[in-house]
Amino acid sequence: MITDEQWASLLETRATDPGAVRRAYQARRRRTSLLNGKSTLFLVAADHPARGALGVGGDPLAMADRRSLLARLLTALANPEVDGVLGTPDVIEDLLLLDGLNERVVIGSMNRGGLAGADWEIDDRFTAYDAASIATFGLDGGKMLLRLVDSDPGTIPTLEGCARAVTELAEHGLMAMVEPLPYKRDHNDKLVLQKNSAALSRASAVAAGLGSTSAYTWLKLPAPDEPEVVLDTTALPALVLGGVPSANPEDDLASWGRSLRHPTVRGLVVGRALLYPPDGDVAAAVAAAAEILRTAKGVTV
């Protein structure tokens, strides 16, 4: 998807014409609504590298090759059922310079300061887009990660930062996508995602109440084992988080499908599971996910 000439041009532009980035933001043709004509939303996510999370499966540096990552994103975006992308400024701007984001929904990732594996990981400061830049650059919303760890005081500034971002995005009339994830530390002090319904429902309730208004708030949630319990926690629109791929892609897709059938769920956000499938066929993985979404929502092509 990226020729040698395109790659060389991108590198040359990056080195010699930084103003091209702003021009690319200004020239991007925006879509008129978040939801597509089927009233769903399917996004691919590529904000993992900015938090130092580069591994996929057994490869600790899978996402470290930027040309490969961009090529995979462009392959996903080539599927007309993919509505857009979620990413940090560097990734979004590379895609803009490659002319890959016209008529696409673009969500800017905001807090990436909780570096994977760092002692302060839960204190997830806002180090990427902010609400003002998302509005200035003509993006369609902002996404924030909210990991809740009751034993870690780093949760407190992250909560406060997310609440502020929700308020500021709403002032611009822009989507605030909050990803609330409850964690605990195990006996080795490793963070472990709590997937039980009680923990996920609690996290959803906390996220839904952030900021001075919830008018523009969407939730990004992992596919729970009991979708009807967790997703009944709020009336806010939700997107299902594909998460880290398991050893069985078919099981991943089946799990997402159960959650996608819930009426509050509008679509799917998937990153590594689609961009780095075990067989390497990105286009096929994206097509399979799109089919799951269509089937779950009873949509015909």
Side-chain angles (χ1 to χ4, degrees), residues 1 5 11 16 33 35 44 48 75 124 131 133 148 182 197 200-201 223 261 287 297:
M1 292 291 292
E5 290 76 15
L11 298 183
T16 64
S33 66
L35 295 174
V44 289
H48 307 86
T75 297
D124 210 338
S133 61
L148 301 169
S197 296
L200 289 171
S201 293
R261 286 191 287 272
K297 290 303 184 186

Side-chain angles (χ1 to χ4, degrees), residues 94-113:
D94 283 345
L95 290 171
L96 283 169
L97 293 171
L98 290 166
D99 197 29
L101 295 179
N102 285 314
E103 305 293 341
R104 299 293 187 174
V105 173
V106 181
I107 306 297
S109 188
M110 303 177 77
N111 60 328
R112 298 280 84 189

Side-chain angles (χ1 to χ4, degrees), residues 1 18 36 71 77-78 84 103 149 164 172 192 204 218 242 246 279 282 297:
M1 292 291 292
N36 57 37
L77 288 165
E103 305 293 341
V149 183
R164 185 180 307 112
H172 292 287
V192 179
S204 299
W218 289 51
S246 72
D279 64 0
V282 177
K297 290 303 184 186

Side-chain angles (χ1 to χ4, degrees), residues 18-41:
V21 170
R22 182 172 288 274
R23 295 194 299 273
Y25 275 122
Q26 294 171 339
R28 184 176 79 90
R29 298 189 304 276
R30 294 182 65 179
R31 203 163 86 169
T32 56
S33 66
L34 288 172
L35 295 174
N36 57 37
K38 301 183 270 306
S39 205
T40 60
L41 182 62

Side-chain angles (χ1 to χ4, degrees), residues 8-232:
S9 177
L10 175 62
L11 298 183
E12 181 69 12
T13 299
R14 281 298 207 176
T16 64
D17 188 11
V21 170
R22 182 172 288 274
R23 295 194 299 273
Y25 275 122
Q26 294 171 339
R28 184 176 79 90
R29 298 189 304 276
R30 294 182 65 179
R31 203 163 86 169
T32 56
S33 66
L34 288 172
L35 295 174
N36 57 37
K38 301 183 270 306
S39 205
T40 60
L41 182 62
F42 181 6
L43 302 175
V44 289
D47 59 347
H48 307 86
R51 202 174 63 78
L54 300 171
V56 181
D59 184 353
L61 294 176
M63 299 188 79
D65 186 323
R66 180 50 56 92
R67 182 173 176 176
S68 173
L69 173 60
L70 293 173
R72 291 164 186 268
L73 284 166
L74 290 173
T75 297
L77 288 165
N79 187 313
E81 295 191 67
V82 174
D83 296 292
V85 66
L86 184 164
T88 47
D90 57 326
V91 174
I92 296 300
E93 289 162 6
D94 283 345
L95 290 171
L96 283 169
L97 293 171
L98 290 166
D99 197 29
L101 295 179
N102 285 314
E103 305 293 341
R104 299 293 187 174
V105 173
V106 181
I107 306 297
S109 188
M110 303 177 77
N111 60 328
R112 298 280 84 189
L115 303 185
D119 292 342
W120 69 87
E121 182 171 351
I122 297 305
D123 186 346
D124 210 338
R125 304 292 177 98
F126 282 65
T127 56
Y129 286 111
D130 56 20
S133 61
I134 288 170
T136 297
F137 295 145
L139 303 190
D140 302 292
K143 174 256 181 178
M144 61 210 78
L145 175 61
L146 176 61
R147 287 169 293 181
L148 301 169
V149 183
D150 288 355
S151 62
D152 193 323
T155 296
I156 301 168
T158 305
L159 268 170
E160 183 179 29
C162 288
R164 185 180 307 112
V166 168
T167 297
E168 292 173 351
L169 286 165
E171 289 172 352
H172 292 287
L174 294 168
M175 173 210 267
M177 184 191 297
V178 186
E179 181 182 358
L181 298 176
Y183 278 86
K184 284 187 177 180
R185 294 190 182 276
D186 65 14
H187 62 281
N188 293 318
D189 206 34
K190 180 180 179 181
L191 289 167
V192 179
L193 177 63
Q194 302 302 293
K195 298 180 181 180
N196 63 82
S197 296
L200 289 171
S201 293
R202 178 177 182 255
S204 299
V206 170
L210 292 176
S212 63
T213 177
S214 63
Y216 295 90
T217 303
W218 289 51
L219 299 182
K220 178 180 178 228
L221 299 168
D225 291 335
E226 298 178 292
E228 68 284 352
V229 175
V230 176
L231 295 166
D232 281 353

